[in-house]
Amino acid sequence: MTAQTSAGQWAAYLRNATETRQAVAPITDTFPELSLSEALAIQQLGIDHRVARGERVTGGKLGLTSRAKQVAMGIAEPIIGWLTDAMLLPTDQPLSVKEHIHPRVEPEIVFVLERDLSGPGVSLIDALAATSVCCGLEVIDSRYAEFRFKLADVIADNASASRYCLGPLMRPSSRDDLSLIGCMLEVDGEIVSSASGAAVLGHPGEAVAMLANHLARDGRRLEAGSTVLSGGLVNAVPLAPGRHVTASFGRLGSVTITAVE
Ligand code: OOG
Ligand code: MG
């Protein structure tokens, strides 16, 4: 980065936005040359800070894996971020909107590693053999005003990660199950969108393979017990106080988040 800017400074900039619940301008507004490797360094410092204050990394998230999300956010490339235990929203616990900047929620198919998965060369079949699956809702809360960002900005911001909520864990019976499984998103009882699992990378299990292969580049692996969010199947909806958002996934069941002030 330049003499005037450092990854540490930008990590603090984003952390401050989270803590004060005040959106900030994209980093690329002031530093257009921000590279993807610099963005990853900022993201890593954000996670390191969370770990230093006692949080535990619980897995990873893929973002922008469906056409609906890529079109909505104007970025045609999947991204990776990290989850911690502090981000897990227990089932039945309402989401406090005032603890966020401008939270939105999106339905996702979620995988949980039953054993370690090491790349490179992890295939969809390998990914499915190593995982259980559940439905989930991800709450994203970009630290950038109006969710306006470029690819490097959103990577630095840990892919807008904020909270995640999981349905009951299941063992998938065949790969077709997950690409053909239906997803219906309801806000206050009204259906706002629907999709099938194939909306995510053709098969949401590809997200697990992608993450394992990404980790392999640094000699790391996806560890047993890790959670992997495969990405929103449809565009996210804003969470306002009093709103009930339910994602239903056929055989995978359903999960609801209720927003309170
Ligand atoms: C970026 C995060 C995208 C997903 O599932 O596509 C994401 C954003 O939309 O702010 O989590
Ligand atoms: Mg997501």
Side-chain angles (χ1 to χ4, degrees):
M1 309 197 70
T2 67
Q4 290 79 41
T5 61
S6 72
Q9 249 175 280
W10 290 118
Y13 174 76
L14 293 172
R15 189 160 66 242
N16 189 51
T18 311
E19 286 166 3
T20 61
R21 286 140 203 161
Q22 295 289 320
V24 290
I27 298 172
T28 57
D29 275 12
T30 44
F31 184 47
E33 315 78 37
L34 182 69
S35 71
L36 299 188
S37 62
E38 288 164 340
L40 279 171
I42 297 167
Q43 180 191 87
Q44 188 59 49
L45 286 173
I47 295 299
D48 291 348
H49 188 268
R50 283 177 172 271
V51 169
R53 72 178 184 208
E55 293 179 34
R56 186 172 56 83
V57 175
T58 50
K61 60 162 284 184
L62 276 281
L64 310 179
T65 50
S66 67
R67 184 156 164 74
K69 282 288 309 190
Q70 292 185 349
V71 167
M73 308 321 287
I75 297 175
E77 218 169 308
I79 53 174
I80 287 171
W82 303 103
L83 306 170
T84 74
D85 56 346
M87 298 181 191
L88 181 64
L89 182 71
T91 324
D92 301 332
Q93 185 175 304
L95 181 108
S96 163
V97 171
K98 69 175 187 315
E99 289 175 8
H100 295 77
I101 301 169
H102 43 197
R104 297 180 181 177
V105 63
E106 55 197 15
E108 307 215 3
I109 294 173
V110 181
F111 295 84
V112 176
L113 274 288
E114 288 187 346
R115 49 184 158 84
D116 289 0
L117 191 59
S118 305
V122 172
S123 69
L124 172 61
I125 306 294
D126 300 331
L128 293 180
T131 49
S132 288
V133 66
C134 61
C135 62
L137 280 169
E138 185 187 21
V139 177
I140 50 174
D141 196 28
S142 176
R143 271 47 72 170
Y144 304 118
E146 287 150 29
F147 276 76
R148 180 178 64 85
F149 43 70
K150 296 207 165 83
L151 177 61
D153 296 304
V154 68
I155 290 172
D157 188 26
N158 196 29
S160 308
S162 181
R163 308 299 297 269
Y164 65 101
C165 184
L166 304 178
L169 204 59
M170 317 216 168
R171 180 89 199 129
S173 55
S174 83
R175 85 181 245 193
D176 283 347
D177 265 354
L178 295 179
S179 55
L180 293 175
I181 199 156
C183 162
M184 185 170 86
L185 186 67
E186 285 168 279
V187 177
D188 295 332
E190 207 167 293
I191 300 169
V192 295
S193 49
S194 58
S196 80
V200 169
L201 301 171
H203 189 300
E206 295 284 6
V208 176
M210 200 178 262
L211 189 56
N213 291 326
H214 171 84
L215 283 169
R217 297 194 311 195
D218 301 324
R220 294 187 291 161
R221 62 175 190 268
L222 257 180
E223 287 175 12
S226 304
T227 299
V228 180
L229 305 189
S230 61
L233 293 91
V234 296
N235 196 15
V237 294
L239 270 173
R243 203 164 273 182
H244 302 274
V245 179
T246 299
S248 304
F249 287 84
R251 212 175 63 73
L252 288 183
S254 66
V255 56
T256 296
I257 287 182
T258 297
V260 295
E261 208 175 300

